[in-house]
Amino acid sequence: MAPPLSWFLLITLVCRTLLVTGSNVFKEDREVYIVYMGDLPKAVDISISSFHTNMLQEVVGSDASKYLVRSYMRSFNGFVAKLTKDEMKRLSGMKGIVSVFPNEKMQLHTTRSWDFMGFPLKANGTTTESDIIVGILDTGIWPESESFSDKGFGPPPSKWKGTCKTSANFTCNNKIIGARYYRSTGSIPEGESESARDALGHGTHTASTAAGGIVPDASLLGIGLGTARGGVPSARIAVYKICWSDGCNFADILAAFDDAIADGVDIISISVGGAFPRDYFDDPIAIGSFHSMMNGILTSNSAGNSGPHIRSISNFSPWSLSVAASTIDRKFLTKLVLGNNETYEDSISKNTFTMEDMHQIIYAGDAPNKTGGFSANESRFCADYSLDKSLVAGKIVFCDKSNRGGAALAAEAAGSITPDDGKKGASFAFPIPTSCLDASDASKILQYMKSDSKPAAKIEKTITVKEESAPIVASFSSRGPNPYSYDLLSPDITAPGVQILAAWTEGSTLTGVPGDKRVAKYNIISGTSMSCPHAAGAAAYVKSLHPKWSPAAIKSALMTTATPMNPKTNTDLELSFGAGHLNPVKAANPGLVYDAGEADYIKFMCGEGYRAEHLKLITGDNTTCTTNGTVWDLNVPSFTLSLDWLGKPVTRTYTRTVTNVGSAVSTYKAKLTAMAGLTVKVEPTVLTFKSLGDQKNFTLTATAGGDKRLSGSLVWDDGVFQVRTPIVAYAF
């Protein structure tokens, strides 16, 4: 008997529903992944992109070209593809694959700073500096800024193999010699253009810090007046726009590394990081910087802004330079004067306005925009549109939470007072006069408001003052140690990163808050994003003097000549500042260097447990792990001792090799210092060199126990050069 028609219709409906639902689930499950395959193959019969398509076809079928997003084929091997989780797992197990990981997003992590480091303008201008190309991986650049003028520049150096992606609103010159932009997924965010032009300001700031030209009378609308310059003002800049207002895609970061290496840059600066640490070869910056190292390029990267928590660092690969942020001997203060003549100061807000008269203070919780549906519980935090204009206009509004100032501006407030929410060392501009106070001072302001029937205040324009205690590592600067290799020091060094003035975009207003019409050519901001290009500029300076030095030699020169930091004001010791504070002048002539290359890092990774078959792919040769290295033998200019949390004494012996780059004939004697509880000895205690390039080995043995952080140093001293290497012990 045939089934009733109603059953046939029901089955048809269910099948159609399943087909539609199944196809939607399939689409939702398909995400973008990065497939990393190591070094470029030495020889293939077909193009690399076709090779990638064929490999992908084994997993996804005949639609492979549809799901292939990008191929990496200029400096290393890999591709980006849209995969289901099952396809990702199958691809991960295929021969020739090092790692497969999701295309997540990373986030963006000067007139006085170079002088503070003892790097005067006269130190620049080497004859080879104009041949140095600094690659900036960031939010793009504002090419019209005076910091990037090409006046006096000749054509790009002959080694340059890059390009300038011009558009209707962007062109290069002989200072900015290259520009590319990347957007692997999604549409271009509103307010930004499909070009290397910077709409956010961050990339313009970092580029001018590293290699901006000399610009007198630069300031943030009158604040911080002075001569702005980069570390290598005569160097060229190549721009790689990897970040947009919604973040920085992993796939785009790797694409920029792929191009920058092949284009011929000398130094790479990338002030970007993830929310948490990742394995070396699941991290696009660690992967990109490894291939940079293989090609003789040092990568300077920001340590991160997640301090002061221990093990919060996000960039820590031993083949790159990880940079913490610290203060300089200048800070900016904004003064709040109350009606009772009491005054309070903050160093966070950058107030470019002049307020002549006292204004009444009103508590934001007493002025909710009820017609807009807001209550006092919302208005007290100065949420957008939450304030009643009729009550707030012309007054200074006190908010219970830090905010961008949009609500107060919309309500036509004369100014605002907000707590700083613990943002020590940060630097912000606001659309109206603003005072950012710590919790204690904010509480006192509230008490004053309650005790006076007509509380009033005036917020003065920000002034510049001397900071005597500098340098101090910023509270926000991420701390080490290396979260994957416990006995490696991270960060490597610290550099100016607090309240740094540098070039800015004119493509948006100073704050980006609706209603703020100010446009600034220079801006003052803070972060390890600012310290990173300082180190990149110093590395470029050393590279201009020693063009044949390896990335490890340049890194060593920066670290062994760094200025020691005060342990009383930097209590996290080397876990916060690495080898010390950047000193570019001394780095130019370090005396000895701790050199290392691809083979050293591969040996280290063998000891860390990486598979030989993957390391072969990474290097593109017949690498084996027959002799595994240890973390204690990697030739880095630091000694790190991780202790048992039970407090038992631990002893480690480290082997190091130093290369003579100072005086041809020289004798160095070892000088050891150590805190109580840390015992250190070195063998031999004297190193004699007979020529430049001569190498000598030594061992250092360190013993410590307990749960305290302990610090020391080894200095090789020949009477001319003092080659200092930090020693740190810590419990985890």
Side-chain angles (χ1 to χ4, degrees):
M1 180 178 172
L5 180 61
S6 59
W7 277 99
F8 177 77
L9 293 174
L10 178 61
I11 292 170
T12 302
L13 178 62
V14 169
C15 288
R16 286 181 175 176
T17 303
L18 287 172
L19 283 170
V20 172
T21 304
S23 64
N24 286 340
V25 170
F26 183 77
K27 288 179 181 177
E28 290 172 359
D29 283 346
R30 196 169 286 281
E31 299 178 358
V32 178
Y33 288 88
I34 295 163
V35 182
Y36 173 56
M37 302 172 66
D39 196 23
L40 289 173
K42 295 297 185 283
V44 290
D45 296 331
I46 60 175
S47 71
I48 295 178
S49 60
S50 296
F51 177 65
H52 294 160
T53 302
N54 291 345
M55 176 169 278
L56 188 58
Q57 193 168 350
E58 294 183 36
V59 175
V60 303
S62 59
D63 286 336
S65 58
K66 176 181 175 182
Y67 298 127
L68 182 64
V69 177
R70 171 188 287 276
S71 283
Y72 303 124
M73 50 188 175
R74 298 189 70 201
S75 303
F76 49 85
N77 192 12
F79 59 91
V80 183
K82 296 177 182 178
L83 305 168
T84 64
K85 287 186 178 179
D86 181 62
E87 290 167 350
M88 179 272 291
K89 291 177 182 178
R90 288 166 57 196
L91 199 58
S92 298
M94 290 176 62
K95 185 178 180 180
I97 304 297
V98 177
S99 58
V100 182
F101 49 94
N103 180 34
E104 298 175 0
K105 288 183 185 292
M106 289 187 167
Q107 301 301 322
L108 296 164
H109 272 200
T110 71
T111 55
R112 176 63 192 159
S113 54
W114 292 108
D115 291 329
F116 171 67
M117 292 186 288
F119 192 47
L121 191 57
K122 64 183 179 181
N124 298 110
T126 63
T127 55
T128 57
E129 187 176 298
S130 64
D131 290 333
I132 296 296
I133 305 168
V134 181
I136 305 292
L137 279 60
D138 213 292
T139 63
I141 199 167
W142 189 259
E144 291 83 9
S145 171
E146 195 175 349
S147 289
F148 310 124
S149 168
D150 66 349
K151 183 178 180 180
F153 281 78
S158 58
K159 65 182 178 182
W160 174 243
K161 298 179 179 64
T163 188
C164 181
K165 281 191 175 181
T166 59
S167 65
N169 73 345
F170 190 98
T171 56
C172 295
N173 59 21
N174 283 330
K175 175 68 173 177
I176 305 172
I177 61 173
R180 300 176 186 266
Y181 59 92
Y182 308 85
R183 183 72 179 177
S184 58
T185 58
S187 58
I188 303 298
E190 185 178 353
E192 299 188 66
S193 62
E194 193 171 353
S195 74
R197 182 171 291 279
D198 183 10
L200 304 178
H202 192 275
T204 301
H205 199 280
T206 57
S208 63
T209 300
I214 302 165
V215 182
D217 300 323
S219 71
L220 167 57
L221 302 178
I223 300 173
L225 184 66
T227 298
R229 62 183 171 100
V232 277
S234 298
R236 318 299 179 117
I237 296 173
V239 179
Y240 302 86
K241 183 175 180 178
I242 56 170
C243 299
W244 308 75
S245 56
D246 58 355
C248 320
N249 281 310
F250 282 17
D252 297 337
I253 293 170
L254 273 174
F257 270 107
D258 189 30
D259 282 332
I261 295 166
D263 287 347
V265 304
D266 295 290
I267 299 290
I268 289 175
S269 178
I270 177 167
S271 294
V272 171
F276 56 88
R278 304 178 67 94
D279 181 88
Y280 296 126
F281 293 107
D282 286 336
D283 185 313
I285 296 179
I287 292 171
S289 60
F290 186 87
H291 288 279
S292 299
M293 175 275 300
M294 289 175 64
N295 286 273
I297 304 164
L298 176 63
T299 299
S300 176
N301 40 216
S302 48
N305 296 338
S306 300
H309 308 295
I310 293 299
R311 206 172 284 117
S312 55
I313 191 168
S314 61
N315 290 317
F316 47 82
S317 61
W319 45 81
S320 66
L321 181 69
S322 180
V323 190
S326 46
T327 60
I328 63 173
D329 63 344
R330 175 187 70 179
K331 67 179 179 179
F332 302 101
L333 291 180
T334 301
K335 185 180 293 186
L336 173 72
V337 182
L338 300 182
N340 61 5
N341 290 324
E342 289 186 1
T343 61
Y344 297 87
E345 294 177 335
D346 84 82
S347 61
I348 294 178
S349 64
K350 301 296 163 284
N351 180 30
T352 67
F353 305 97
T354 299
M355 184 182 288
E356 299 289 352
D357 303 315
M358 289 278 180
H359 293 265
Q360 182 180 343
I361 310 175
I362 184 172
Y363 177 58
D366 294 333
N369 177 13
K370 294 181 179 178
T371 58
F374 293 91
S375 67
N377 284 332
E378 294 163 307
S379 68
R380 62 187 284 253
F381 297 122
C382 292
D384 286 347
Y385 311 109
S386 66
L387 299 175
D388 188 332
K389 180 178 175 180
S390 65
L391 298 174
V392 172
K395 299 174 184 176
I396 295 175
V397 60
F398 184 100
C399 307
D400 277 339
K401 186 178 181 180
S402 64
N403 59 90
R404 297 176 65 204
L409 177 63
E412 298 183 5
S416 69
I417 302 171
T418 75
D420 63 15
D421 291 349
K423 295 182 175 70
K424 300 299 182 185
S427 180
F428 300 107
F430 295 88
I432 59 174
T434 300
S435 177
C436 295
L437 302 174
D438 62 29
S440 175
D441 286 347
S443 177
K444 292 175 184 177
I445 303 298
L446 282 173
Q447 292 175 10
Y448 161 70
M449 292 169 63
K450 292 176 181 178
S451 65
D452 195 305
S453 59
K454 292 184 178 180
K458 179 174 70 171
I459 301 171
E460 297 184 351
K461 186 172 182 177
T462 298
I463 60 172
T464 305
V465 298
K466 183 82 170 177
E467 177 58 273
E468 299 290 350
S469 61
I472 296 176
V473 176
S475 175
F476 62 74
S477 185
S478 291
R479 267 58 170 176
N482 185 310
Y484 276 85
S485 305
Y486 296 156
D487 285 348
L488 281 181
L489 180 62
S490 292
D492 296 307
I493 202 166
T494 189
V498 178
Q499 299 186 344
I500 304 301
L501 180 102
W504 198 246
T505 180
E506 295 181 55
S508 61
T509 61
L510 181 58
T511 62
V513 175
D516 184 6
K517 295 180 172 55
R518 295 170 301 161
V519 174
K521 295 182 177 181
Y522 290 82
N523 197 4
I524 299 167
I525 56 177
S526 300
T528 54
S529 282
M530 285 60 258
S531 58
C532 169
H534 277 96
Y541 174 65
V542 175
K543 179 81 171 181
S544 72
L545 297 170
H546 307 285
K548 294 184 179 180
W549 278 13
S550 70
I554 295 173
K555 175 178 176 177
S556 173
L558 297 174
M559 291 179 66
T560 60
T561 58
T563 304
M565 300 282 281
N566 186 343
K568 293 182 179 179
T569 53
N570 298 278
T571 55
D572 287 327
L573 305 178
E574 283 81 2
L575 300 187
S576 66
F577 54 70
H581 199 270
L582 186 67
N583 188 329
V585 170
K586 283 191 174 182
N589 293 289
L592 304 174
V593 294
Y594 294 75
D595 207 353
E598 177 186 328
D600 300 288
Y601 298 118
I602 292 297
K603 190 176 180 181
F604 154 72
M605 287 187 286
C606 287
E608 293 289 281
Y610 287 88
R611 293 161 58 185
E613 62 184 275
H614 284 169
L615 296 177
K616 282 183 180 180
L617 293 171
I618 292 168
T619 61
D621 58 25
N622 294 320
T623 295
T624 61
C625 285
T626 52
T627 55
N628 291 357
T630 69
V631 65
W632 308 294
D633 294 332
L634 183 60
N635 204 40
V636 294
S638 60
F639 304 95
T640 306
L641 178 63
S642 59
L643 305 177
D644 189 299
W645 66 276
L646 295 174
K648 297 178 181 178
V650 176
T651 298
R652 296 291 184 204
T653 298
Y654 310 80
T655 302
R656 294 290 187 269
T657 301
V658 286
T659 303
N660 182 25
V661 295
S663 304
V665 178
S666 53
T667 298
Y668 287 82
K669 296 181 180 179
K671 295 182 179 180
L672 292 167
T673 60
M675 290 181 173
L678 175 63
T679 303
V680 186
K681 64 178 181 179
V682 65
E683 180 65 34
T685 58
V686 178
L687 300 177
T688 299
F689 298 90
K690 297 181 179 179
S691 64
L692 291 176
D694 196 5
Q695 295 183 328
K696 297 296 178 182
N697 301 325
F698 70 90
T699 60
L700 181 141
T701 303
T703 302
D707 59 358
K708 294 182 179 179
R709 291 174 202 140
L710 303 171
S711 180
S713 67
L714 163 66
V715 177
W716 289 109
D717 190 343
D718 73 340
V720 177
F721 300 104
Q722 291 76 45
V723 187
R724 183 181 179 275
T725 311
I727 307 167
V728 62
Y730 71 96
F732 68 96

